[in-house]
């Protein structure tokens, strides 16, 4: 009997309800989906066996972070590596709680959690548990990036244990709702930790103009979120006549002082993750994937794809923990790059983009911003941010930004910005109207700026002339949304579709308490948000 899958954790899920056939829209097979469910069940089993982390070790926390990140959309399509992780989780459980699997104690926590119990649960329970599970998957991605740079949080990791424990328990809505909001609270701490890890290692980002032209000669494209991998690649290619170009969420790396000091970090190639099968089809260069954003590579360019960290795809060369990028470097030299400079543009025809408006750089000119608001030069701020994706209707965000009045500012972050970040909308008081604050990892920057403005004007964040128009795709967007709700931010517009795992009753709670609303049309939403 052929295997069928069930997965509804991302925005592009089939029919806006769930992928249930032989393969997901993302390209994940039913067998891979089943293995990811088994891995998740093993992680929940580990958390339950250790009583929500009471008996856990440092390795337990590391494994939970790695395992959860592996199940984020577009990270791992490799059945072998997923099975290896399952085996590691089982081994850790036996080490920490010896004999747990064979224990006769009726605590019901001796075995791996059976994920079908979640997918077949009453819809409101399933909805709340999905918010918790998908939220901690996103949080684990942030915790992993920080861990790579030597930063860990006992409080964050203790909560991940607690959250997984809750998913495995037979709790009602009243018991689950506080855990959902706690995902947002602890994710804020996690994002703060990651921000400190990035800026402590690479310096405070500053506004930087990034060219979209690819110069002649050998080059490597690096995509994903992991700045450490970019640093190592820059070090290993120094003096070899190879240029490095970022792609997707790696674009903001150009703004960090310790990374942009490398002269062979040249510019950015391509746009957001969902365009890679077209953009990578015939480039004479290898591509290195560092974290999630992998789309199944087409055969026409699969031999030029390399992965590292938790990213894995069958028959794609993987760079292991030794981080020796020699195979990538050799492939770049073999392919040779373009014989002449090639001028590329963004989606709207721009030849360059600007990134680096982190909270550190924006708050340095806070007085200038505040004066512009008080004088009426700036009427309103829009945070137009989030994930990009395949589904039709995402041109809404391009049109929305184009329609914003000239006395408004657009703050943006994450890969959704590629819909409009090459637009030239002019300036206000010497500041560009579009300010790119970084990766989805940098949502902390937007929150810091909003809080600082609220303090400056002695008001609540919801009283600021600030509206949030967000796009979501995968699980990091889920934990960011929960963080915004934890902070009490209301009237968020969300699209292009609402999550399939949000039940009508849970949606009603979010609407009544926080005023969350789906996007409609750019014209209607602008009119409503500007009052």
């Amino acid at each position: 009997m052929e295997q069928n899958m069930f997965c509804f954790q991302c925005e592009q899920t089939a029919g806006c309800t769930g992928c249930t056939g032989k393969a997901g829209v993302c390209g994940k097979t039913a067998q891979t989906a089943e293995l990811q469910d088994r891995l998740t069940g093993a992680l929940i089993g580990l958390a339950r066996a250790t009583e929500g982390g009471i008996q856990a070790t440092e390795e337990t926390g590391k494994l939970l972070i790695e395992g959860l990140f592996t199940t984020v959309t577009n990270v791992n399509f490799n059945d072998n590596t997923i099975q290896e992780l399952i085996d590691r989780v089982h081994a850790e459980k036996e080490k920490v709680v010896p004999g747990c699997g064979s224990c006769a104690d009726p605590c019901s926590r001796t075995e791996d959690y059976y994920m079908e119990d979640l997918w077949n649960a009453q819809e409101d329970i399933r909805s709340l548990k999905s918010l918790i599970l998908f939220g901690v998957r996103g949080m684990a991605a942030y915790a992993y990036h920080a861990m790579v740079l030597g930063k860990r949080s006992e409080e964050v990791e203790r909560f991940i244990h607690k959250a997984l424990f809750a998913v495995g328990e037979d709790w009602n809505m009243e018991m689950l709702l506080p855990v959902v909001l706690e995902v947002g609270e602890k994710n804020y701490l996690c994002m703060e930790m990651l921000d400190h890890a990035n800026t402590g290692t690479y310096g405070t980002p500053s506004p930087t103009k990034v060219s979209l032209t690819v110069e002649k000669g050998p080059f490597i494209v690096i995509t994903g979120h992991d700045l450490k991998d970019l640093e190592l690649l820059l070090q290993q290619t120094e003096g070899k006549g190879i240029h490095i170009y970022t792609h997707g969420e790696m674009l903001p790396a150009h703004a960090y002082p310790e990374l942009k000091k490398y002269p062979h970090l040249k510019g950015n190639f391509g746009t957001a993750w969902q365009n890679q099968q077209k953009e990578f089809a015939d480039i004479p260069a290898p591509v290195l994937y560092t974290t999630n954003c992998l789309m199944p590579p087409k055969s026409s360019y699969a031999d030029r794809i390399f992965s590292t960290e938790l990213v894995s795809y069958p028959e794609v060369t993987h760079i292991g923990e030794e981080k020796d990028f020699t195979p990538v470097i050799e492939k770049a030299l073999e392919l040779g790059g373009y014989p002449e400079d090639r001028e590329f543009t963004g989606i709207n025809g721009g030849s360059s983009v600007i990134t680096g408006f982190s909270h550190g750089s924006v708050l340095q000119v806070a007085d200038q911003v505040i004066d512009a608001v008080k004088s009426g030069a700036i009427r309103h701020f829009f945070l137009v941010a989030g994930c990009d994706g395949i589904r039709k209707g995402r041109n809404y965000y391009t049109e929305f930004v184009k329609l914003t009045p000239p006395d408004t500012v657009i703050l943006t972050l994450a890969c959704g910005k590629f819909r409009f970040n090459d637009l030239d909308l002019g300036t206000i008081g010497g500041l560009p109207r579009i300010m790119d604050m970084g990766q989805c990892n940098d949502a902390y920057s937007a929150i810091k700026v909003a809080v600082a403005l609220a303090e400056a004007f002695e008001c609540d964040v919801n009283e600021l002339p600030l509206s949030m128009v967000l796009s979501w795709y995968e699980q990091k967007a889920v934990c960011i949304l929960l963080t915004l709700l934890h902070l009490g931010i209301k009237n968020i517009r969300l699209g292009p579709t609402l999550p399939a795992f949000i039940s009508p009753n849970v949606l009603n709670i979010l609407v009544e308490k926080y005023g969350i609303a789906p996007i409609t049309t750019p014209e209607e939403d602008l009119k409503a948000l500007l009052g």
Side-chain angles (χ1 to χ4, degrees):
M1 181 176 176
E2 288 190 32
Q3 217 168 12
N4 282 321
M5 67 185 293
F6 176 74
C7 183
F8 64 170
Q9 71 173 1
C10 81
E11 187 271 336
Q12 69 180 14
T13 190
C16 296
T17 57
C19 295
T20 57
K22 309 301 181 222
V25 176
C26 68
K28 177 172 62 180
T29 66
Q31 180 172 319
T32 301
E34 194 271 336
L35 278 169
Q36 290 190 354
D37 271 2
R38 281 180 50 201
L39 172 57
T40 303
L43 295 169
I44 294 171
L46 177 59
R48 298 175 84 203
T50 58
E51 295 292 337
I54 295 172
Q55 298 169 265
T57 67
E58 187 173 306
E59 178 62 20
T60 308
K62 181 173 180 288
L63 259 179
L64 292 183
I65 289 170
E66 289 185 8
L68 286 168
F69 191 10
T70 294
T71 60
V72 168
T73 305
N74 290 25
V75 174
N76 194 311
F77 296 79
N78 191 327
D79 294 353
N80 292 332
T81 57
I82 298 172
Q83 182 60 57
E84 288 169 6
L85 254 176
I86 294 170
D87 295 340
R88 284 176 57 200
V89 173
H90 288 158
E92 177 67 11
K93 181 178 176 182
E94 180 60 29
K95 184 174 74 174
V96 178
V97 192
C100 179
S102 57
C103 175
D105 190 311
C107 71
S108 77
R109 300 171 188 152
T110 58
E111 299 178 349
D112 292 352
Y113 181 70
Y114 184 52
M115 293 299 289
E116 289 295 319
D117 289 346
L118 173 54
W119 308 141
N120 294 322
Q122 190 273 337
E123 68 171 356
D124 295 330
I125 299 299
R126 181 177 75 168
S127 182
L128 292 174
K129 286 189 174 183
S130 294
L131 275 168
I132 294 168
L133 175 60
F134 301 158
V136 293
R137 281 178 175 173
M139 189 192 309
Y142 298 143
Y144 184 87
H145 296 313
M147 188 166 61
V148 166
L149 295 175
K151 299 288 186 182
R152 295 181 69 170
S153 164
E154 183 179 340
E155 185 174 358
V156 167
E157 292 181 25
R158 191 165 56 243
F159 174 72
I160 291 175
H161 282 89
K162 174 183 176 179
L164 291 177
F165 185 92
V167 172
E169 292 296 293
D170 187 20
W171 289 0
N172 60 28
M173 288 185 69
E174 288 70 27
M175 299 171 74
L176 291 169
L177 268 169
V179 184
V180 171
L181 290 179
E182 195 175 356
V183 174
E185 176 190 354
K186 294 305 190 292
N187 184 59
Y188 182 76
L189 297 178
C190 191
M191 291 193 300
E192 181 179 44
M193 173 177 66
L194 177 57
D195 179 80
H196 291 166
N198 285 337
T199 57
T201 305
Y202 301 112
T204 300
S206 59
T208 303
K209 186 176 182 179
V210 182
S211 172
L212 305 183
T213 295
V214 176
E215 297 180 17
K216 68 179 181 180
F219 68 98
I220 296 169
V221 175
I222 180 169
T223 189
H225 305 71
D226 204 302
L227 300 178
K228 182 65 176 178
D229 286 324
L230 172 59
E231 179 188 29
L232 293 172
L233 182 64
L234 288 167
Q235 290 172 352
Q236 293 180 37
T237 51
E238 205 165 11
K240 289 184 167 62
I242 298 173
H243 298 153
I244 306 299
Y245 293 87
T246 56
H247 171 271
E249 290 278 32
M250 196 63 79
L251 166 64
H254 292 273
Y256 286 91
E258 291 301 309
L259 294 174
K260 67 180 182 180
K261 71 181 183 182
Y262 291 92
H264 59 301
L265 178 60
K266 288 292 184 177
N268 190 73
F269 175 85
T271 53
W273 66 271
Q274 78 278 0
N275 299 320
Q276 63 189 249
Q277 290 183 332
K278 176 179 64 176
E279 293 175 346
F280 295 165
D282 57 3
I283 61 169
V287 181
L288 175 64
Y289 287 84
T290 65
T291 56
N292 64 303
C293 293
L294 171 68
M295 287 191 75
K298 292 187 174 181
S299 58
S300 61
Y301 66 89
D303 65 322
R304 290 174 266 140
I305 298 300
F306 297 82
S307 62
T308 191
E309 296 293 343
L310 298 177
V311 185
S312 189
Y313 194 85
E315 300 179 8
V316 162
T317 302
H318 187 76
I319 308 297
E321 292 182 3
E322 74 286 352
K323 295 295 182 180
D324 181 359
F325 293 120
T326 299
V328 190
I329 293 168
E330 290 177 344
K331 179 62 74 171
L333 293 172
E334 172 195 332
L335 294 171
Y338 293 113
E340 301 294 338
D341 292 358
R342 287 283 297 270
E343 294 184 359
F344 292 93
T345 65
I347 289 176
N348 302 286
S351 60
S352 65
V353 294
I354 299 177
T355 190
F357 289 94
S358 67
H359 66 89
S361 60
V362 173
L363 294 181
Q364 285 178 6
V365 294
D367 291 344
Q368 187 177 340
V369 174
I370 292 166
D371 288 344
V373 174
K374 289 180 176 178
S375 70
I378 296 177
R379 177 173 36 145
H380 206 87
F381 296 89
F382 293 102
L383 178 63
V384 185
C387 313
D388 207 351
I390 296 171
R391 195 183 302 279
K392 292 180 179 179
R394 287 183 179 268
N395 60 324
Y396 164 95
Y397 298 93
T398 310
E399 297 308 311
F400 184 94
V401 169
K402 285 181 177 179
L403 288 171
T404 54
D407 57 355
T408 61
V409 170
I410 295 90
L411 305 175
T412 189
L413 53 86
C415 61
K417 64 175 170 274
F418 285 103
R419 295 273 171 174
F420 51 80
N421 67 337
D422 63 321
L423 289 169
D424 182 2
L425 298 186
T427 62
I428 295 180
L431 298 170
R433 284 191 55 222
I434 297 179
M435 298 186 191
D436 174 13
M437 308 188 84
Q439 298 181 347
C440 61
N441 299 3
D442 298 308
Y444 177 76
S445 272
I447 293 169
K448 287 282 286 184
V449 168
V451 170
L453 287 174
E455 290 174 354
F457 288 107
E458 299 181 346
C459 67
D460 183 84
V461 171
N462 291 304
E463 296 172 325
L464 286 171
L466 168 67
S467 301
M468 298 191 181
V469 184
L470 307 181
S471 57
W472 83 283
Y473 171 71
E474 42 92 313
Q475 297 75 65
K476 285 181 284 184
V478 175
C479 63
I480 290 171
L481 178 63
L482 293 177
T483 293
L484 296 174
L485 300 185
H486 156 71
L487 294 170
I489 294 173
K490 297 181 178 180
N491 302 318
I492 296 169
R493 294 293 196 277
L494 184 64
T497 61
L498 294 178
F501 50 83
I502 301 279
S503 68
N505 286 335
V506 172
L507 179 60
N508 285 339
I509 293 172
L510 298 180
V511 170
E512 290 173 10
K513 189 170 183 179
Y514 300 103
I516 284 182
I519 59 172
T520 59
T521 68
E523 295 82 359
E524 291 175 4
D525 289 344
L526 261 175
K527 183 178 179 180
L529 294 172
L530 288 174

